[in-house]
Each structure stands twice: as structure tokens, then as C-alpha cells.
Amino acid sequence: MKESDYLKTLERGINVIKSFQHAPHLTISESAKICGLSRPVTRRVLLTLQKLGYATSRDGKFSLTPRMLSLGYSYLFSLNIWETATPSLEALSEKIQESSSLCKLDDTEVVYVARVPVNKIMSHSLAIGTRLPAYATSMGKVLLAYSTNEQIDRYFQKAELKPFTDKTIIEEEKIREELKNIRQNGWAFSRDQLEIGLMSIAAPVRDVRGEVVAAVNCSTHSGRSSREKVEKEFLPLLLEAAESISKSIDFEIF
Amino acid sequence: MKESDYLKTLERGINVIKSFQHAPHLTISESAKICGLSRPVTRRVLLTLQKLGYATSRDGKFSLTPRMLSLGYSYLFSLNIWETATPSLEALSEKIQESSSLCKLDDTEVVYVARVPVNKIMSHSLAIGTRLPAYATSMGKVLLAYSTNEQIDRYFQKAELKPFTDKTIIEEEKIREELKNIRQNGWAFSRDQLEIGLMSIAAPVRDVRGEVVAAVNCSTHSGRSSREKVEKEFLPLLLEAAESISKSIDFEIF
């Protein structure tokens, strides 16, 4: 793209919005500091967001409004995720009494785009929009396994492989080996990678062209399940859910 | 605000993002038409969003990426909604085996900012980010009931009161009367307003200053509950959840 096509103001607006991930209320100066922008620029962004109903202010502090959700949901609505994936996730979660999720890959991370939690301890810590590093999750490994070699190479150039537990696999060669196995098996198993005791399996979701566009998973804890139970009882139901979601995607997802 | 402070580019960027609520893939011309913008302006917005990772393109069509969720979630993360409200909603839903939600008011509509669905028919049709007209929902009426007289007057100037069923109350005077009763009772009951058979009760959530900043509700269907059951069994648990969420909000929400 030509430099003249790039809208610096739009980038700045997005950065100011994201500065509120740090605190619910920010002064112009605080937001400016987080964004690395000048105070006058940040001020104009915040006043414009306020005028449009996406921000509000009181006593010199700004905060975002619930209208902000409509931007993130432009994406979910565009995928029609509530009609295509949620019923299958709900059916899966009800059968196995464990939480299930749908993720997409964004840069080096997986992003939760749908999730059906089951009321258990730890169940509400992952919400839609949550991002996790791909190498440490079953869904991330599925999405990498079905990427092109070029994409995988780029992933390893960019990703920072650091351990979350003493079991986290952070050796590039070991992860590459695992990706090959996942592609052969058609599903991924993950254990103790993000947190000791956490187990999950994931399978690919394909769009109408047959391309892997998302991953579906279910997760459990070694306190209430075993690898044997996961593979014997959960896996067939997970693969069934993945197929049913794939069938319901009647358009191409990029 | 001075006109020179208003960033037209930011408004245009937001409008282009929202154009994808109509379809998952749009050409530049399609998006331009939806937004009422020129093709060159829309093109620059889409190329900028693509450069920033919020949009992607193929074969001349653009679509949003999962990164878009991080904007909407800047708002939810800023409220720390997962730690403050979700545990109380989960406890409520588990006890009554019905879905529960948290809403905030935005202009004339309520916006779902947290929700714990229970696996039943109709349970997945309302997601976070969903917007419903305030006058036709129990949460909307609670939020209006605790607004200032000036805000209520402005609401009725702006809101378009139209029936969803033949039971929907659309007379301004009747709604105003109901708002007074709600404020006296401390909770709202709604039935058949959006859909025949749909029943819900809602209660106010207060921030650390004691100001009503959100509403919590639970909903059921006349096929499996009665008004008596809702008031006798659900209401005390709902009020308990509202109080527990209020206590967990240890900062001011505007």
C-alpha cells in the first residue's frame, strides 16, 4: 500500500481504544502515555469517540461505553457465529459436561470466538476475545498443523516460546514434530501446557472449500478425567461437533 | 467540542467496520455504499485496517479478522466483567436453572455485557453485544426507572415505541407509571413484551457510590414457569445476585 493511503488517525483511534484495557478510567494524559501519542492528538480522539457515543467522560476522566461492543461484534455477527457454531458447542458441552470453545488464529495467538462454559471451578476464566499463545494450546496446534509450511516458518520466526509450566513444550523441533502428528491424526491432545492438570483436545473446522478456518476444543482437568477417558469418550463427540460446525459454514471464511 | 477537534477519519473507520454487520465479505464498493462514503475513502480505511491486522482481503473482497474482538473487549476488560459479575451470574443460573444476564443502557437500548446461558431452547439467541429496546425489557425498565427525570424525558423523545407482540406496552404514560412502581419495588417483572411466553425479572446493580450502573436479570418461559414461581423462587436469588455484583464493583462506573 502507498503511504498516502495509510490513515494514521484510524490507527491512533484504535490505539486509544485499546489503552482502556489497562484501566476503566483514564485521563487524556494517561491514555496518551499508554499510546505513546501527544496529548492534543489523544484529546481529539477521545472527544470524537465521545461524540460518537463510544466514550464518556466525567471529572476529567474518560471511559469506554457498552457501544464499543458493537465493533467487536461486527466480526462475530459477520460470521454468524451464534447460528453456525454455538448449537454444536452446546450439544457437545451438554453431552460431556465440560466446556467447549471455537478459536481462530490471529498472528501468533488463538482468539476465542465462541465458548460454552460449564459451571465448574475455572470455567469462567476464558471468555470470547481471550487470546492465548498458539504453541501452548490444543486449538493453536491444530490451527498451525493445517497452516502452510510458509505460515509455520513465519510463526516460529515471530512467536516467543516461553514455558507456562515445567511441562510446556518450547523446543521448535518438538513442536514441529507434534504438528505433523496432529495433521496425520486429525486432532490434537494437550496436557499441562498452560497450567498443570489442564487437558484439552481440539479438532479442525473447515469452511465450504475444505480449508481449515477454525478449531473446536473441549477441555477438562486431570482431577476429574484421564487421557483415556478424553480419547475414548470425548474425542468421538468432539470430531462429530467439528464436522457439524464445518457443515453449517456455508460460506468461505478467509 | 470545536469542529476542528472532530476526527472525521475515525468516524469513517468505525462506519466501515460496522458495515460488516451486513455480510462477512464486502467489496470496497459494497462497503462504501453501506456507509454512504466514497470509494477512495472506503478503500483507504480498508487498506489501513488490513495493515493493522483488523481486516483481510481475497479476490477483491474484504472481511474482518478475529483481532476486531479486542476492540469490543477493551470495554469488557476495562470493567473487569469476568471477575466482578460472571461468578454471581453463574451461581444464580445454577440455582434456578435459567439463563441470567447483565445489561447496561446505551442510548435507547440495553446492551448485554455478560450472560450465562442455560442449555435450553432459545437460550443461545442472546449473546454479549446484543441490543434490545429498553421499553420492552425488564432490564431496560430497571435502568430507566433509576435514571433522572431529564434522562427519562430524553428517552421518550428519542425512543420509537413499537409493539413486538399484542401485549407490548407502547403507551408512554403506562410505561412511566411502571417505572415509578419499579423504583418503589426495587425490581421489574416483564412478560410477553418481546415475545409471547417470555418472562423475566430484573434488579438494579449499583457501583461504589450507590448509583445504578447496570441491571441483572433472569428469564424463563411460561411453558416451564409461572409468575408466582418467578416471584417466590427466583426473585430472592436475583436480588441476592444483584447485591453480590454491586459489592464486587469496587470502582465507579460512569
Side-chain angles (χ1 to χ4, degrees):
Chain A
M1 91 188 270
K2 282 183 297 178
E3 214 174 300
S4 59
D5 284 335
Y6 191 69
L7 303 170
K8 204 80 191 154
T9 302
L10 188 53
E11 179 188 353
R12 287 168 174 162
I14 288 173
N15 286 338
V16 168
I17 290 169
K18 288 173 75 181
S19 69
F20 289 91
Q21 290 176 4
H22 294 79
H25 311 122
L26 293 173
T27 62
I28 293 170
S29 305
E30 285 164 350
S31 176
K33 199 178 163 195
I34 294 169
C35 302
L37 292 171
S38 74
R39 204 184 165 287
V41 165
T42 308
R43 180 178 159 275
R44 286 205 294 277
V45 169
L46 285 168
L47 288 177
T48 304
L49 289 174
Q50 181 169 24
K51 173 96 179 168
L52 293 168
Y54 291 90
T56 181
S57 72
R58 199 160 72 186
D59 307 332
K61 293 222 171 199
F62 284 82
S63 69
L64 301 179
T65 70
R67 186 168 303 179
M68 198 51 79
L69 285 175
S70 62
L71 295 189
Y73 277 82
S74 295
Y75 167 71
L76 294 179
F77 285 134
S78 79
L79 285 185
N80 201 9
I81 217 82
W82 316 108
E83 286 185 27
T84 51
T86 313
S88 300
L89 293 181
E90 285 186 343
L92 175 63
S93 282
E94 189 147 13
K95 280 181 210 149
I96 64 177
Q97 283 299 302
E98 294 286 357
S99 304
S100 62
S101 311
L102 189 78
C103 269
K104 287 191 54 91
L105 201 58
D106 179 31
D107 202 12
T108 63
E109 295 173 309
V110 292
V111 184
Y112 282 74
V113 294
R115 179 165 169 83
V116 175
V118 164
N119 291 331
K120 282 187 180 143
I121 295 164
M122 295 175 43
S123 72
H124 61 262
S125 56
L126 296 167
I128 294 170
T130 299
R131 305 173 71 88
L132 291 173
Y135 69 94
T137 66
S138 60
M139 287 189 282
K141 284 177 187 167
V142 160
L143 290 166
L144 287 175
Y146 290 91
S147 299
T148 62
N149 288 336
E150 197 197 343
Q151 285 167 329
I152 295 174
D153 289 345
R154 210 162 45 226
Y155 173 79
F156 283 111
Q157 274 161 30
K158 283 185 88 172
E160 196 198 335
L161 307 173
K162 55 173 190 180
F164 291 90
T165 72
D166 56 10
K167 300 278 173 65
T168 311
I169 302 167
I170 53 165
E171 295 82 11
E172 181 175 328
E173 277 319 302
K174 278 194 193 168
I175 299 172
R176 283 183 182 269
E177 198 54 44
E178 220 188 333
L179 297 184
K180 275 185 212 155
N181 293 336
I182 290 166
R183 201 164 168 137
Q184 231 158 17
N185 295 339
W187 54 276
F189 176 85
S190 181
R191 180 181 199 150
D192 300 332
Q193 295 296 295
L194 270 180
E195 197 179 301
I196 292 294
L198 203 60
M199 276 193 285
S200 71
I201 41 171
V205 168
R206 294 166 189 279
D207 73 3
V208 74
R209 290 163 302 156
E211 284 194 26
V212 173
V213 290
V216 59
N217 94 337
C218 57
S219 56
T220 184
H221 203 272
S222 50
R224 52 179 190 265
S225 261
S226 62
R227 174 153 189 168
E228 291 65 42
K229 182 176 174 172
V230 166
E231 290 198 16
K232 203 179 151 197
E233 294 177 25
F234 294 0
L235 182 58
L237 296 166
L238 176 77
L239 295 174
E240 200 182 282
E243 207 186 314
S244 126
I245 297 171
S246 299
K247 274 188 190 154
S248 68
I249 301 176
D250 56 359
F251 51 88
E252 291 181 20
I253 301 179
F254 296 167
Chain B
M1 90 189 270
K2 283 184 297 178
E3 215 174 300
S4 59
D5 284 334
Y6 191 70
L7 303 170
K8 203 81 190 156
T9 302
L10 188 52
E11 180 188 354
R12 287 168 174 161
I14 287 174
N15 286 337
V16 169
I17 290 170
K18 288 174 75 181
S19 69
F20 288 90
Q21 289 176 4
H22 294 79
H25 310 122
L26 294 172
T27 62
I28 294 170
S29 305
E30 286 164 349
S31 175
K33 200 178 163 194
I34 295 169
C35 302
L37 292 172
S38 75
R39 204 185 165 286
V41 165
T42 308
R43 180 178 160 275
R44 285 205 296 276
V45 169
L46 285 169
L47 289 177
T48 304
L49 288 174
Q50 181 168 24
K51 174 94 180 167
L52 294 169
Y54 292 90
T56 180
S57 71
R58 198 159 73 186
D59 305 333
K61 294 222 170 198
F62 284 81
S63 69
L64 301 179
T65 69
R67 185 168 305 180
M68 198 50 83
L69 284 174
S70 63
L71 294 190
Y73 278 82
S74 295
Y75 168 71
L76 294 180
F77 284 134
S78 80
L79 285 186
N80 200 7
I81 217 82
W82 315 108
E83 286 185 27
T84 52
T86 314
S88 299
L89 293 181
E90 285 185 344
L92 175 63
S93 282
E94 188 147 14
K95 280 180 209 150
I96 64 177
Q97 283 298 303
E98 295 285 356
S99 303
S100 63
S101 310
L102 189 79
C103 270
K104 288 194 48 96
L105 201 58
D106 179 30
D107 203 12
T108 64
E109 295 173 310
V110 293
V111 183
Y112 283 73
V113 295
R115 180 165 168 82
V116 174
V118 165
N119 291 331
K120 281 185 179 145
I121 295 164
M122 295 174 44
S123 73
H124 62 263
S125 55
L126 296 168
I128 294 170
T130 300
R131 305 173 71 88
L132 291 173
Y135 69 93
T137 65
S138 61
M139 285 188 283
K141 284 177 187 167
V142 160
L143 290 166
L144 288 175
Y146 290 91
S147 298
T148 63
N149 288 335
E150 196 196 343
Q151 286 167 329
I152 295 174
D153 289 345
R154 208 161 49 225
Y155 173 80
F156 283 112
Q157 274 162 29
K158 282 186 88 173
E160 196 198 337
L161 307 172
K162 56 175 189 178
F164 291 90
T165 73
D166 57 9
K167 299 278 175 62
T168 312
I169 302 167
I170 54 165
E171 295 81 11
E172 180 175 329
E173 277 319 302
K174 277 194 194 167
I175 299 172
R176 282 182 181 269
E177 198 55 43
E178 220 189 333
L179 297 184
K180 275 185 214 156
N181 293 335
I182 289 166
R183 202 166 166 132
Q184 232 157 18
N185 294 339
W187 54 277
F189 175 85
S190 180
R191 179 181 198 149
D192 300 331
Q193 295 296 294
L194 270 180
E195 196 178 303
I196 293 295
L198 203 60
M199 276 192 285
S200 72
I201 40 171
V205 168
R206 294 167 189 277
D207 74 3
V208 75
R209 290 163 304 155
E211 283 193 27
V212 173
V213 291
V216 58
N217 94 336
C218 57
S219 56
T220 183
H221 203 273
S222 50
R224 52 178 190 264
S225 261
S226 62
R227 174 155 189 167
E228 291 65 43
K229 182 176 174 172
V230 166
E231 290 197 18
K232 204 180 151 197
E233 293 177 27
F234 294 180
L235 181 59
L237 296 166
L238 176 77
L239 295 173
E240 200 182 284
E243 207 187 313
S244 125
I245 296 171
S246 299
K247 274 187 192 156
S248 67
I249 301 176
D250 57 358
F251 51 88
E252 291 182 21
I253 301 179
F254 296 165

